[in-house]
Amino acid sequence: MMHSNSLDNASTQSLLTVINGILDESIERKKGEIPHRVVYLLRKVVQEIERRLCIQAEHIRNQNTIIKTREEKYLSKIKALQVLVNGTNEENQMTVNLLQVVKEEKSQIEERQKLSEQNVVRLIKEKENAENMIASLKEEMEVMNRLHKQQLDQFEIKTKQMEEKLATKVKEFELHVLRSNMKIEEVETTYQQKSQLWNKKENIFHNYMNSQQLYVKGLNISSRSIKSDMYAFQMKWRDEMSNLGSNLKCLVDAADNYHKVLAENQKLFNEVQELRGNIRVYCRVRPFLPGQDKQSTTIDYIGESGELLISNPLKQGKDGQRMFKFNKVFSSFASQADVFSDTQPLIRSVLDGFNVCIFAYGQTGSGKTYTMSGPSTSKKDWGVNYRALNDLFDISLNRRNIFSYEVGVQMVEIYNEQVRDLLSNKVAQKRLGIWSTSQPNGLVLPDASLYPVKSTSDVLDLMEIGLANRAVGATALNERSSRSHSILTVHVRGVDVKTGSISRGCLHLVDLAGSERVERSEATGDRLKEAQHINKSLSALGDVIFALAQKNAHVPYRNSKLTQVLQSSLGGQAKTLMFVQINPDVESYSETISTLKFAERVSGVELGAARSNKDGKDIKELLEQIACIK
Ligand code: ADP
Ligand code: MG
């Protein structure tokens, strides 16, 4: 082995076994010296192994560099692949989205397909229906065609018949024409004969004309004699006319006297009214209403001349009785006409230029509205309002040759001390001002709507509007009881046709609010406020009349809107009539007594002579004459 170069060819494994063998052998010899050839061999083997290791190491290094370059190549490839992979991911996402959209569209298309299939089914049905209809229509058409043909056949038959008839008629006409031709010839011959006759008559007429001319000449002569007779007649008529003129003058004088007598009559009439007192109080007892106990009444006795005896249901004998006296007391049997009969003269006074005020006073439910307006619009039921207006227009019509009258109407209510126009469309907004001294046209409420009227029915129409606008509230006594004063004012302006002097009068028709005391109506809140306003204004009315009676220098008109509005119709210048309404039932005893006490205070008053609002020059003279008559 040491001489050959066979080390090159030996495998590394065998070299290592050689070394191991040498080492093992040397160990066995135990510290025996290693011969030179063995050391040499070992050195050679080790060198060989070193060489091989070097070669291997070199090889491995080369391999490493190759691997590194490959690795780099692979890394770059991997990067490129990653980029590619990322790109593909995005594309994938887009494709997924696209796929989603496509899916949705597909489902929509499927739905549409379903719908269209349904439509197709429906259309097929409709088509079947239409085909059925077409079939039925075809049948109908065939029937119609058949009918039409039949009719056509009938028409043809008829036209043939008509043609035949026409042919016969044409023949008849031809015959007629022939006959009429013959007649024309006959007429021509008769005409010739007649013209000969006329010629003869003309000759006769000429002769007659000649004789007539002679007759006219005679007539001319006689007309001349008639003319002279006419002249004589005219002279006679002239004399008679002048006689008539003097007679007429006498008549005119008589008419003048009539005017004077009429004026005197008015004065006398007013005098009579004055003697009866310028404030009159009539009491009216309301009948029991259906369902009320007629046995228990507080009315004991009603006298002929206005006595009224009231008995207290809780006290027996004379202690429980109280007597009142008024101008008149109407029992529960009195009719609407009876109640009005004594009011009538006051209506004449209005036309004579006086202010008149008619009130209805009493607790709610005592018949105020019944007396003033009546329960219905039938003539029998008419209340004082309607009857007064009717009389007013009747009298003004009778006087039309002497006076020309203009009549106007206002209607207001006083609610919670506010004056409201009942004839205005805007009742709620409009609150009216009151003029303390009336305007030249006689209006105390110049802003309230004033409607000219020509007849009772005009006024009734206006009153209907006014009543609808009236404020009504509820109380324990009467659900629809009215809690406001309503005032209908009729203004009358009369012009004396002869002298031109003007007189003004006005008539107030007042339906007062219920006079009951607050406790009685169990009111609270708004109702209590209403009741307090009503109590205040009614006592102000009593105070005004009382002050006038006492001839006090100060009359408290300003204490309430009611007395302010009626100022010119309360007191010396006016006539006042109050209907005091009472209930007959025992429960109303205390209200009845307080109502009657109020009325007693009012009726015991002498308000002095009324003065007419005449502005004519003869007013002084009239007053003097009245004094004489007194
Ligand atoms: P007021 O206006 O005082 O509240 P009403 O006039 O409304 O009272 O009358 C109350 C009720 O009594 C109504 O049903 C009315 O018809 C009736 N009444 C009033 N007076 C009479 C009368 N004289 N005759 C018959 N019924 C009457
Ligand atoms: Mg009423």
Side-chain angles (χ1 to χ4, degrees), residues 363-370 470 478 480-482 511-514:
Q363 71 179 112
T364 298
S366 58
K368 295 184 296 297
T369 307
Y370 190 99
R470 240 190 121 175
N478 186 342
R480 304 238 343 131
S481 140
S482 190
D511 188 349
L512 291 167

Side-chain angles (χ1 to χ4, degrees), residues 28 48 87 263 272 310 336 341 355 359 371 423 459 483 502 519 544 546 564 598 600 619:
E28 271 168 30
E48 179 61 25
V272 171
I310 300 290
Q336 296 285 73
S341 60
N355 289 350
F359 294 100
T371 296
L423 300 182
V459 186
R483 311 302 301 153
I502 293 168
E519 310 84 64
V544 162
F546 196 73
Q564 284 173 40
F598 176 91
E600 196 176 42
I619 192 160

Side-chain angles (χ1 to χ4, degrees), residues 587-610:
E587 293 81 52
S588 301
Y589 174 76
S590 64
E591 278 306 334
T592 303
I593 290 291
S594 80
T595 300
L596 291 173
K597 276 185 183 164
F598 176 91
E600 196 176 42
R601 188 165 173 242
V602 171
S603 68
V605 163
E606 173 54 61
L607 293 176

